[in-house]
């Protein structure tokens, strides 16, 4: 979970995030920590399902697409932002955030080529 404080209102916000194979998935922010924990649990389940599908021979792209399609209603509520993470000259480079899994997978593919 990540925590941020709105400078103006001083309200604390939380969001869930995971990283897997150069992608970072982040949920929308919420002031309800229990809801943020629930979002984190969902993202952890998604990560484990993707790993499991890959262990059974699925490509990373197919595993992600399959998991996102099978959990579409649940994941829509999280309003997930996805970005590609990579390193260049010893520094982490973060691509712009997108809500499109296919766009993120395309960016990842191009960066890793």
């Amino acid at each position: 979970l990540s925590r941020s404080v709105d400078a103006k209102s001083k309200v604390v916000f939380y969001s869930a995030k995971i990283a897997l194979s150069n992608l970072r998935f982040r949920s929308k922010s919420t002031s309800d920590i229990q809801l943020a924990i629930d979002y984190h649990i969902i993202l952890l389940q998604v990560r484990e399902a993707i790993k499991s599908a890959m262990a059974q021979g699925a490509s990373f792209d197919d595993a992600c697409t399959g998991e996102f399609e099978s959990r579409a209603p649940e994941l829509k509520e999280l309003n997930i932002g996805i970005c590609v993470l990579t390193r260049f000259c010893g520094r982490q480079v973060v691509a712009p955030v997108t809500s499109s899994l296919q766009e993120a997978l395309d960016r990842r593919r191009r960066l890793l080529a």
Side-chain angles (χ1 to χ4, degrees):
L1 291 179
S2 64
R3 178 184 179 272
S4 62
V5 179
D6 183 272
K8 214 174 195 180
S9 67
K10 305 297 185 208
V11 175
V12 177
F13 290 97
Y14 304 93
S15 62
K17 63 183 176 180
I18 61 163
L20 178 64
S21 295
N22 297 91
L23 289 183
R24 180 172 59 203
F25 302 88
R26 184 177 185 153
S27 73
K28 65 182 177 184
S29 295
T30 177
S31 59
D32 181 346
I33 191 165
Q34 186 56 53
L35 186 57
I37 291 169
D38 292 344
Y39 289 169
H40 195 242
I41 290 168
I42 292 167
L43 289 178
L44 290 172
Q45 291 170 343
V46 166
R47 181 172 63 189
E48 291 308 309
I50 291 169
K51 285 181 174 180
S52 177
M54 290 172 56
Q56 295 175 12
S59 70
F60 179 76
D61 288 13
D62 289 344
C64 285
T65 301
E67 185 60 18
F68 269 67
E69 286 175 356
S70 71
R71 297 180 87 136
E74 184 178 32
L75 293 175
K76 186 175 182 178
E77 180 187 332
L78 275 66
N79 193 25
I80 294 176
I82 310 164
C83 64
V84 179
L85 307 172
T86 191
R87 288 209 162 287
F88 182 74
C89 295
R91 294 194 170 251
Q92 186 176 51
V93 178
V94 181
V97 176
T98 180
S99 60
S100 166
L101 176 63
Q102 290 310 313
E103 186 177 339
L105 290 173
D106 289 344
R107 288 178 184 171
R108 177 183 174 273
R109 206 174 304 109
R110 286 193 307 268
L111 279 172
L112 297 178

